[in-house]
Amino acid sequence: PVSVSVCGRPRNKFTGLSNRNYGGCEMEIDNVQVVKPFGPLILIAQLPEGVIKPLNEIVDVIKDRKDMGARLAGVIETESEIPHSMLEEKKVMNIFHALSRSYLEQAYLNAGLHDQWNAMNVKTQMQSIWSVSQYENEYNPQHNHSHCQISAVLYLKVPAMKPRNIPNKPKEKDGQIEFTFCTNESIFTTGSFVARPKPGMCLLFPNSLYHQVYPFQGSGERRSIAFNMAFKGFSKSSGVQVAGDSVNLYNETNHAETIPWKLIEQGYHK
């Protein structure tokens, strides 16, 4: 009998093909890979209680201001802007910058740009941050974010949710967040990703990625913080900006002496 074996390297292992007739010869196919070169990256991190507690204390103070709703897509009443000064006072601001830098580094490594990452000084800036207190039957329709490059959500409280118990509908998405990359879902293509929130879970994703939050039933508060970040990458050798946010990007190669460096770097963290 003729056999063909396929060796999956280096990323995936799968069962080889055997007992197939391919012209009466024995053949081994080597160096076969299954790759996933398309699609957005999502960073998922679990933050400790030592971070969640001060953030909840901040939201307890500002949540009833409800001053963000007109700027947001959510069908949610209690959405409030968080002053950066409160994050600094609670000594939690740097956490958002550290998460963003980690996400950026992983993105560059995933793209095979390790050398470019190592050749840059990267600075991040928080563009906006707000709390979302979602209650029964409220929801966030599909949307994405603008005026930034990185978007994120961090969950602070997740309530008990009343199950709907609809016959033949076992996979309820109540209170969950769903990211949608494309609509052509198949065994070969993952078109969307659903995450079930829990306190401390943080997800960072490209600002252009569409996402939505499903309503739920129950009397509790589903509390989260959403934030948007931007970044700039400067060449370590020349100081020229080579990556990131193009706002305040000047012709640094030919007219470096005219650049208002303080304006470019203001608000960006090393």
Side-chain angles (χ1 to χ4, degrees), residues 75-78 133-140 214-216:
V75 184
I76 296 173
E77 180 180 357
T78 308
S133 295
Q134 179 184 354
Y135 295 96
E136 186 174 43
N137 294 324
E138 294 184 320
Y139 64 95
N140 226 322
Y214 290 94
F216 65 89

Side-chain angles (χ1 to χ4, degrees), residues 59-67 78-80 131 133 135:
V59 176
D60 287 340
V61 173
I62 59 94
K63 62 174 287 189
D64 290 330
R65 295 177 182 176
K66 303 179 183 180
D67 53 3
T78 308
E79 298 170 309
S80 304
S131 66
S133 295
Y135 295 96

Side-chain angles (χ1 to χ4, degrees), residues 108-142:
Y108 271 86
L109 296 180
N110 183 75
L113 300 175
H114 185 266
D115 291 342
Q116 183 173 334
W117 173 260
N118 287 334
M120 292 191 302
N121 288 317
V122 174
K123 301 178 180 181
T124 55
Q125 182 182 51
M126 178 174 283
Q127 302 290 78
S128 54
I129 183 169
W130 64 96
S131 66
V132 180
S133 295
Q134 179 184 354
Y135 295 96
E136 186 174 43
N137 294 324
E138 294 184 320
Y139 64 95
N140 226 322
Q142 190 174 78

Side-chain angles (χ1 to χ4, degrees), residues 127-194:
Q127 302 290 78
S128 54
I129 183 169
W130 64 96
S131 66
V132 180
S133 295
Q134 179 184 354
Y135 295 96
E136 186 174 43
N137 294 324
E138 294 184 320
Y139 64 95
N140 226 322
Q142 190 174 78
H143 66 286
N144 62 8
H145 296 192
S146 58
H147 308 299
C148 60
Q149 294 152 302
I150 301 169
S151 294
V153 59
L154 167 59
Y155 297 100
L156 304 181
K157 293 182 179 181
V158 179
M161 300 180 191
K162 180 182 176 182
R164 297 181 186 271
N165 295 324
I166 301 175
N168 302 315
K169 298 285 185 179
K171 294 184 179 180
E172 295 182 5
K173 295 181 180 179
D174 282 16
Q176 298 182 38
I177 184 170
E178 181 168 17
F179 299 89
T180 302
F181 175 60
C182 69
T183 57
N184 298 320
E185 187 96 13
S186 74
I187 188 63
F188 304 110
T189 303
T190 302
S192 66
F193 167 68
V194 180

Side-chain angles (χ1 to χ4, degrees), residues 4 26 42 54 60-61 87 103 109 122-123 137 162 172 209-210 219 227 257 264 266:
V4 177
E26 184 172 303
I42 297 179
D60 287 340
V61 173
L87 300 173
Y103 179 52
L109 296 180
V122 174
K123 301 178 180 181
N137 294 324
K162 180 182 176 182
E172 295 182 5
L209 183 61
Y210 280 90
S219 60
F227 60 97
E257 71 281 359
I264 292 178
Q266 184 177 4

Side-chain angles (χ1 to χ4, degrees), residues 87-100:
L87 300 173
E88 297 285 2
E89 290 169 7
K90 291 286 188 179
K91 303 186 185 305
V92 291
M93 174 64 90
N94 284 339
I95 294 168
F96 298 101
H97 289 281
L99 286 166
S100 299

Side-chain angles (χ1 to χ4, degrees), residues 208-228:
S208 58
L209 183 61
Y210 280 90
H211 52 287
Q212 61 188 317
V213 177
Y214 290 94
F216 65 89
Q217 293 183 329
S219 60
E221 175 191 3
R222 180 189 181 278
R223 179 184 289 188
S224 62
I225 284 177
F227 60 97
N228 293 322

